[in-house]
Amino acid sequence: MKPLSMMTPGRDSTVINVAGGDCVTQRLMEMGIRKGVNVKVLQNDRGPLIIAVGEIRMILGRGMAHKVLVNEVVLE
Amino acid sequence: MNVGLIGNPNCGKTSLFNELTGARQHVGNWPGVTVEKKVGKYTHDGKSAVIVDLPGTYSLGAYSEDELVARNYIIQERPEVVIDVADATNLERNLYLTVQLLEMGIPLVLAVNMMDEAQKRQIGIDIQKLSQRLGIPVVATVAPKRIGIHELMEKAVRIAEAKPNESFQINYGETIEREIDALVHIMSDSVELKRKYHLRWVAIKLLENDKYFLEEIKKTPKAILIKQQLSEINNRISQSKGEEPETLIIDKRYQFISKIVEASTKKSQAYAETLSDRIDRITTSRIWGIPIFALVMYSVFSLTFALSDPMIGWIETFFGWLGELAAVGMTSAGVSELMSSFVVDGVVNGVGSILVFIPPIFMMFLFMSLLEDSGYMARAAYVMDRLMRALGLHGKSFISYLIGFGCNVPGVMGTRTLESRKDRMIAIMTIPFMSCMARLPIYVLLAGAFFTGREGIVIFSLYVLGIVLAVMTGKILSKALFKGDNSHFVMELPPYRIPTIKGLFIHMWEKGSSFIRKAGTVIFSVVVIIWVLSNLPAGVEYASADSYIARLGGAIAPIFQPAGFGTWEASAALLFGVLAKEVVVGTFGVISGAGEDEAAISSAAAQYFTPLSALTFMIMTLIYMPCVATVGAIKRETNSWRWTLFAVGYTTVLGWFLAVGVFQIGKFMGFS
């Protein structure tokens, strides 16, 4: 388990928990980032991340990405 | 019949609205807030309906002004029916809003839009099954091709007439249901609440910690009891479930939605790289992101001027011809000299000198719409995140600044999409430093007259100066005034789309026409006032040193003496420029009687300035107090007179100090 902000671009992961203030959690959940959902990190250099949640592409600030805990999914 | 149109951002709602209403749209503001309200009329087969476009929103919470506006409209205005637009390619997330609407218990029709995109991505949606499971009519649509539009409206009309009374409920599980029942029981004797809302919905909203309803129950007789009950519930649920009630509720809604989606859609695979993703790998890359952005911006600005230049010429020629025609016509008709001067010097010259800016303004808005509708704007926000961080903001706010280059008013209004108050305030306070299209004519005029051959670099430096000032003041504000308040950057990246011509032009017209309205009302009146003041007291020579305008300008001129432009003409121009910055050039046009001809105004203006004082005058025009329309927008957006006065005060003081500083240093260094 690690924060989404530590994921390598191109890898898939499953969301385990969205920590942080309830306002952040609520917002992220409403936008589709919630427990059990598959998230793929597309860009992760210094600034905000670009992620894919199903068909949705999103910019996610690094601070927020720290709060999303994921498990890396290893695809065969 | 009133129809509310609601949906997530980027679900194609705007294009559906455009197709439903054609060009019959009216843009206004929602009462009390500056969120844009678009209303249009749909007519088909003799039936007509008023369609209200609600702000794009993910949820009906109370985070941002947009969400509140959408919700309040539905609660308070009670439209006969609401059409919820969902993006067929992300049905699951879009249905989250649908479920919230269903819980409110309002007449609802669902449009599953962008069906063609879904088909392309091999997502099959069984519309009938979806309709069955949700218990509301569902129509598949492809807005730009007008597929499903009339069927959608037919179903909406039918629902509005039938007023179905089935109640929709999600089972939130034993623990939460028990608390909902308890809350409903406590609230059941509040007549006021009962009249306005479904109590079950209120109970759910309270459990979700909804600020609006927490306020609303304060008015009920059992306010204290409810508050107490709520904190007990929160403790109880957090302890037994290890989670807050609000996240449990959201989870349950999604579980409910997942079941529906599973039953009604077929999806081929989890993730597939799209063309958009491939483009993004370049446009958002560390190496290419900024160069591409710079190239795009450079093209926008240079194309704006290149394309509008010939049109400016036509307008100049037209007004020159009109002025002459009027002068000749009135002389031969025996109209008094005063009246003739009013028409020629005042109306034709004054208005003409402003109307020449219509082409660049419309071009600018056309390119802005192109950036927005194609999806590039969101990428620009990502790329510019680092620069915005220097201001203490994040990338999303960049869009407001970019719009601010067109006009500060929509720029300030655009800040409403920023969720944190800190971000909004900093953006609102610094957006006026963006050189808007109204300030450009002054630069063009003075740089053309005094810096021939170097106009480009002078004008460019002024734009850069504005950005530098915004960064500096933003930094100071975020350090000094808004400590701690954290901001969250989360934003959807819509797939790239080829914008429709119709969409672009509607968009451009909406933004640009407000300038024409401004030119027709505010600017026109100011021009008339300037002409009158130039002719009074009676018998004075037009715009001579004895006229009222000279005395008025002369009274404040000493203030600007140390900045090098202590003439009454320059002071009067700045004074009236507050009403609309376009007027600064217009004032020179009217006072000098030079009209709309750029060269004539240019040579007329030359007598009031030296190269150095022309530069400091341009600096002053850039920085000093925003125009009244912007001040009004600042007042509405900050909802505070203190902040508004602060914005007016600090910009003016800063402008004066910079102008004086540059002039004195320049003089010291031997420039004149």
Side-chain angles (χ1 to χ4, degrees), chain A residues 10 12 17-18 21-35 37-38 40-65 67, chain B residues 58-59 63 67 89-90 92-93 96 100 121 123 208-209 243-244 246-247 250-251 254 258 267 270-274 277 280-281 284-286 378 381-382 385-386 389 419 488-494:
Chain A
D12 287 270
N17 195 19
V18 183
D22 33 33
C23 196
V24 179
T25 319
Q26 226 168 324
R27 188 81 198 150
L28 286 178
M29 286 177 89
E30 285 170 355
M31 289 188 75
I33 304 176
R34 61 202 162 82
K35 268 186 227 169
V37 155
N38 213 285
K40 190 186 190 82
V41 173
L42 300 180
Q43 288 268 11
N44 186 2
D45 26 49
R46 297 150 300 183
L49 287 78
I50 297 181
I51 56 169
V53 184
E55 300 286 333
I56 306 164
R57 303 292 179 266
M58 254 190 253
I59 303 174
L60 191 64
R62 186 150 292 270
M64 286 178 106
K67 292 174 179 160
Chain B
Y58 294 107
S59 151
Y63 295 112
E67 291 182 10
T89 63
N90 306 291
E92 196 157 344
R93 213 265 318 274
Y96 186 78
Q100 287 193 303
R121 299 191 201 180
I123 304 169
E208 279 187 271
N209 232 335
E243 261 182 85
E244 311 289 320
E246 60 260 37
T247 51
I250 300 175
D251 252 338
Y254 268 118
S258 291
K267 240 176 143 180
Y271 172 86
E273 190 179 60
T274 60
D277 292 330
D280 272 343
R281 268 210 301 229
T284 63
S285 83
R286 207 163 156 174
Y382 174 80
D385 184 69
R386 282 186 70 203
R389 254 172 223 289
E419 279 124 26
H488 316 299
F489 184 17
V490 54
M491 188 177 158
E492 205 174 327
L493 274 180

Side-chain angles (χ1 to χ4, degrees), chain B residues 408 432-434 436 438-439 442-443 465 469 556 560 565 570-585 587 616-628 630-631 647-659:
Chain B
N408 290 172
F433 290 132
M434 299 300 112
C436 64
R439 275 171 257 191
I442 307 157
Y443 306 162
L465 175 67
L469 286 175
I556 54 168
F560 299 114
F565 45 87
S571 298
L574 284 177
L575 191 65
F576 289 105
V578 165
L579 296 165
K581 294 209 170 173
E582 294 91 335
V583 171
V584 175
V585 169
T587 310
T616 54
F617 186 77
M618 286 190 275
I619 292 174
M620 185 69 190
T621 317
L622 161 66
I623 307 165
Y624 88 116
M625 107 175 247
C627 69
V628 278
T630 308
V631 173
V648 170
Y650 96 94
T651 49
T652 309
V653 171
L654 185 66
W656 186 83
F657 272 106
L658 265 173

Side-chain angles (χ1 to χ4, degrees), chain B residues 132-408:
Chain B
Q132 228 169 41
R133 289 286 185 116
L134 289 170
I136 51 167
V138 180
V139 181
T141 57
V142 181
K145 292 180 189 149
R146 302 187 64 85
I147 296 172
I149 282 185
H150 294 307
E151 192 194 344
L152 177 67
M153 285 309 292
E154 237 165 70
K155 295 217 160 133
V157 169
R158 214 172 304 153
I159 285 284
E161 281 164 359
K163 296 195 177 61
N165 221 350
E166 296 154 52
S167 65
F168 170 93
Q169 275 190 16
I170 288 181
N171 187 347
Y172 283 106
E174 212 183 314
T175 325
I176 293 203
E177 285 296 333
R178 204 184 313 134
E179 310 297 2
I180 292 174
D181 288 344
L183 281 173
V184 168
H185 183 74
I186 300 174
M187 292 186 293
S188 61
D189 51 1
S190 167
V191 188
E192 182 66 15
L193 275 181
K194 240 181 173 171
R195 191 176 55 81
K196 285 207 274 195
Y197 318 103
H198 280 262
L199 288 186
R200 182 184 162 83
W201 184 59
V202 178
I204 294 169
K205 279 286 148 197
L206 286 173
L207 288 175
E208 279 187 271
N209 232 335
D210 187 287
K211 277 183 215 137
Y212 176 84
F213 280 105
L214 288 174
E215 283 298 311
E216 197 72 353
I217 54 153
K218 278 188 189 160
K219 297 177 212 153
T220 65
K222 286 192 179 160
I224 301 164
L225 186 63
I226 298 174
K227 197 118 197 255
Q228 208 181 339
Q229 184 84 5
L230 271 176
S231 74
E232 274 171 32
I233 292 173
N234 265 319
N235 283 335
R236 217 160 32 221
I237 294 183
S238 315
Q239 265 163 25
S240 69
K241 295 273 179 178
E243 261 182 85
E244 311 289 320
E246 60 260 37
T247 51
L248 284 174
I249 288 174
I250 300 175
D251 252 338
K252 282 284 179 193
R253 281 196 194 120
Y254 268 118
Q255 278 173 26
F256 173 84
I257 293 164
S258 291
K259 269 187 217 144
I260 295 178
V261 171
E262 254 165 54
S264 58
T265 64
K266 260 188 261 122
K267 240 176 143 180
S268 57
Q269 73 286 66
Y271 172 86
E273 190 179 60
T274 60
L275 178 63
S276 254
D277 292 330
R278 274 193 297 255
I279 299 173
D280 272 343
R281 268 210 301 229
I282 302 164
T283 55
T284 63
S285 83
R286 207 163 156 174
I287 301 163
W288 294 109
I290 290 177
I292 290 174
F293 170 77
L295 188 72
V296 168
M297 286 334 297
Y298 176 79
S299 318
V300 164
F301 280 96
S302 55
L303 277 174
T304 297
F305 300 124
L307 293 176
S308 53
D309 210 39
M311 288 185 257
I312 294 177
W314 302 333
I315 294 180
E316 277 175 1
T317 317
F318 173 73
F319 274 92
W321 169 81
L322 194 69
E324 258 171 56
L325 190 78
V328 172
M330 280 186 293
T331 316
S332 62
V335 178
S336 76
E337 206 175 304
L338 190 69
M339 190 62 206
S340 159
S341 155
F342 171 72
V343 173
V344 177
D345 296 331
V347 179
V348 177
N349 284 352
V351 173
S353 61
I354 291 146
L355 286 184
V356 289
F357 303 114
I358 286 184
I361 284 171
F362 271 70
M363 279 298 160
M364 186 77 174
F365 283 129
L366 181 68
F367 286 117
M368 290 285 172
S369 312
L370 186 70
L371 291 185
E372 224 174 311
D373 294 0
S374 65
Y376 185 73
M377 202 75 115
R379 277 76 187 177
Y382 174 80
V383 171
M384 293 311 282
D385 184 69
R386 282 186 70 203
L387 178 73
M388 288 291 122
R389 254 172 223 289
L391 274 92
L393 297 173
H394 57 60
K396 198 171 169 184
S397 46
F398 175 71
I399 296 172
S400 301
Y401 285 87
L402 197 57
I403 295 168
F405 280 120
C407 173
N408 290 172

Side-chain angles (χ1 to χ4, degrees), chain B residues 339-533:
Chain B
M339 190 62 206
S340 159
S341 155
F342 171 72
V343 173
V344 177
D345 296 331
V347 179
V348 177
N349 284 352
V351 173
S353 61
I354 291 146
L355 286 184
V356 289
F357 303 114
I358 286 184
I361 284 171
F362 271 70
M363 279 298 160
M364 186 77 174
F365 283 129
L366 181 68
F367 286 117
M368 290 285 172
S369 312
L370 186 70
L371 291 185
E372 224 174 311
D373 294 0
S374 65
Y376 185 73
M377 202 75 115
R379 277 76 187 177
Y382 174 80
V383 171
M384 293 311 282
D385 184 69
R386 282 186 70 203
L387 178 73
M388 288 291 122
R389 254 172 223 289
L391 274 92
L393 297 173
H394 57 60
K396 198 171 169 184
S397 46
F398 175 71
I399 296 172
S400 301
Y401 285 87
L402 197 57
I403 295 168
F405 280 120
C407 173
N408 290 172
V409 176
V412 169
M413 278 161 64
T415 60
R416 66 187 152 80
T417 55
L418 304 174
E419 279 124 26
S420 105
R421 184 173 157 79
K422 172 194 168 192
D423 291 0
R424 291 198 68 192
M425 295 306 273
I426 294 176
I428 291 169
M429 289 297 136
T430 52
I431 283 173
F433 290 132
M434 299 300 112
S435 279
C436 64
M437 295 305 284
R439 275 171 257 191
L440 185 69
I442 307 157
Y443 306 162
V444 172
L445 176 78
L446 292 178
F450 292 100
F451 301 95
T452 323
R454 282 167 300 162
E455 297 102 326
I457 188 76
V458 169
I459 294 175
F460 181 74
S461 317
L462 285 162
Y463 274 86
V464 171
L465 175 67
I467 296 169
V468 169
L469 286 175
V471 170
M472 276 163 43
T473 47
K475 191 119 202 166
I476 292 168
L477 283 175
S478 70
K479 282 264 158 65
L481 295 167
F482 306 99
K483 271 184 211 150
D485 193 358
N486 264 329
S487 56
H488 316 299
F489 184 17
V490 54
M491 188 177 158
E492 205 174 327
L493 274 180
Y496 288 103
R497 290 200 184 100
I498 295 171
T500 61
I501 303 288
K502 187 176 176 179
L504 283 183
F505 276 88
I506 288 177
H507 210 142
M508 174 188 83
W509 177 251
E510 264 168 22
K511 297 235 154 68
S513 60
S514 69
F515 173 80
I516 294 188
R517 240 175 291 141
K518 190 162 89 173
T521 52
V522 179
I523 299 176
F524 177 75
S525 339
V526 176
V527 161
V528 170
I529 292 170
I530 294 172
W531 180 84
V532 170
L533 289 177

